[in-house]
mmCIF file of all heavy atoms in Angstrom:
data_model
loop_
_atom_site.group_PDB
_atom_site.id
_atom_site.type_symbol
_atom_site.label_atom_id
_atom_site.label_comp_id
_atom_site.label_asym_id
_atom_site.label_seq_id
_atom_site.Cartn_x
_atom_site.Cartn_y
_atom_site.Cartn_z
ATOM 1 N N ASP D 148 75.169 98.520 81.932
ATOM 2 C CA ASP D 148 75.975 97.284 82.076
ATOM 3 C C ASP D 148 75.909 96.843 83.555
ATOM 4 O O ASP D 148 75.805 97.609 84.427
ATOM 5 C CB ASP D 148 77.494 97.673 81.822
ATOM 6 C CG ASP D 148 77.753 97.658 80.350
ATOM 7 O OD1 ASP D 148 77.114 97.025 79.507
ATOM 8 O OD2 ASP D 148 78.791 98.341 80.022
ATOM 9 N N THR D 149 75.956 95.549 83.675
ATOM 10 C CA THR D 149 76.137 94.965 85.040
ATOM 11 C C THR D 149 77.305 93.970 84.934
ATOM 12 O O THR D 149 77.265 93.117 84.059
ATOM 13 C CB THR D 149 74.807 94.182 85.490
ATOM 14 O OG1 THR D 149 73.767 95.121 85.552
ATOM 15 C CG2 THR D 149 75.025 93.588 86.863
ATOM 16 N N LEU D 150 78.253 94.222 85.781
ATOM 17 C CA LEU D 150 79.535 93.518 85.630
ATOM 18 C C LEU D 150 79.847 92.625 86.878
ATOM 19 O O LEU D 150 79.443 92.943 87.949
ATOM 20 C CB LEU D 150 80.675 94.452 85.409
ATOM 21 C CG LEU D 150 80.584 95.495 84.263
ATOM 22 C CD1 LEU D 150 81.706 96.418 84.244
ATOM 23 C CD2 LEU D 150 80.455 94.768 82.951
ATOM 24 N N THR D 151 80.638 91.608 86.652
ATOM 25 C CA THR D 151 81.319 90.868 87.728
ATOM 26 C C THR D 151 82.772 91.032 87.533
ATOM 27 O O THR D 151 83.240 91.346 86.453
ATOM 28 C CB THR D 151 80.968 89.353 87.655
ATOM 29 O OG1 THR D 151 81.309 88.861 86.382
ATOM 30 C CG2 THR D 151 79.509 89.130 87.927
ATOM 31 N N GLY D 152 83.546 90.872 88.633
ATOM 32 C CA GLY D 152 84.928 91.055 88.536
ATOM 33 C C GLY D 152 85.714 89.883 89.242
ATOM 34 O O GLY D 152 85.260 89.505 90.326
ATOM 35 N N ASP D 153 86.750 89.376 88.640
ATOM 36 C CA ASP D 153 87.594 88.351 89.240
ATOM 37 C C ASP D 153 89.006 88.877 89.336
ATOM 38 O O ASP D 153 89.581 89.325 88.348
ATOM 39 C CB ASP D 153 87.540 87.056 88.330
ATOM 40 C CG ASP D 153 86.080 86.448 88.357
ATOM 41 O OD1 ASP D 153 85.562 86.210 89.387
ATOM 42 O OD2 ASP D 153 85.668 86.256 87.160
ATOM 43 N N THR D 154 89.517 88.837 90.601
ATOM 44 C CA THR D 154 90.836 89.463 90.823
ATOM 45 C C THR D 154 91.899 88.334 90.935
ATOM 46 O O THR D 154 91.676 87.349 91.660
ATOM 47 C CB THR D 154 90.778 90.306 92.072
ATOM 48 O OG1 THR D 154 89.850 91.333 91.913
ATOM 49 C CG2 THR D 154 92.132 90.903 92.392
ATOM 50 N N THR D 155 92.959 88.514 90.219
ATOM 51 C CA THR D 155 94.137 87.606 90.217
ATOM 52 C C THR D 155 95.328 88.324 90.762
ATOM 53 O O THR D 155 95.640 89.435 90.380
ATOM 54 C CB THR D 155 94.415 87.109 88.768
ATOM 55 O OG1 THR D 155 93.255 86.436 88.294
ATOM 56 C CG2 THR D 155 95.576 86.131 88.786
ATOM 57 N N LEU D 156 96.076 87.696 91.697
ATOM 58 C CA LEU D 156 97.379 88.201 92.139
ATOM 59 C C LEU D 156 98.321 87.803 91.022
ATOM 60 O O LEU D 156 98.593 86.605 90.808
ATOM 61 C CB LEU D 156 97.744 87.583 93.498
ATOM 62 C CG LEU D 156 99.060 87.998 94.049
ATOM 63 C CD1 LEU D 156 99.098 89.532 94.310
ATOM 64 C CD2 LEU D 156 99.377 87.200 95.317
ATOM 65 N N THR D 157 98.898 88.784 90.334
ATOM 66 C CA THR D 157 99.741 88.451 89.173
ATOM 67 C C THR D 157 101.260 88.527 89.452
ATOM 68 O O THR D 157 102.004 87.877 88.801
ATOM 69 C CB THR D 157 99.451 89.384 87.984
ATOM 70 O OG1 THR D 157 99.782 90.702 88.423
ATOM 71 C CG2 THR D 157 98.021 89.308 87.542
ATOM 72 N N GLU D 158 101.614 89.200 90.572
ATOM 73 C CA GLU D 158 103.076 89.336 90.836
ATOM 74 C C GLU D 158 103.267 89.844 92.238
ATOM 75 O O GLU D 158 102.472 90.700 92.732
ATOM 76 C CB GLU D 158 103.699 90.307 89.853
ATOM 77 C CG GLU D 158 105.165 90.470 89.903
ATOM 78 C CD GLU D 158 105.708 91.383 88.800
ATOM 79 O OE1 GLU D 158 104.875 92.109 88.158
ATOM 80 O OE2 GLU D 158 106.933 91.393 88.644
ATOM 81 N N VAL D 159 104.270 89.390 92.870
ATOM 82 C CA VAL D 159 104.766 89.940 94.215
ATOM 83 C C VAL D 159 106.285 90.032 94.083
ATOM 84 O O VAL D 159 106.926 89.221 93.557
ATOM 85 C CB VAL D 159 104.311 89.192 95.396
ATOM 86 C CG1 VAL D 159 102.806 89.196 95.648
ATOM 87 C CG2 VAL D 159 104.802 87.725 95.354
#
Side-chain angles (χ1 to χ4, degrees):
D148 280 334
T149 299
L150 305 176
T151 56
D153 296 308
T154 301
T155 301
L156 179 63
T157 63
E158 185 178 13
V159 292

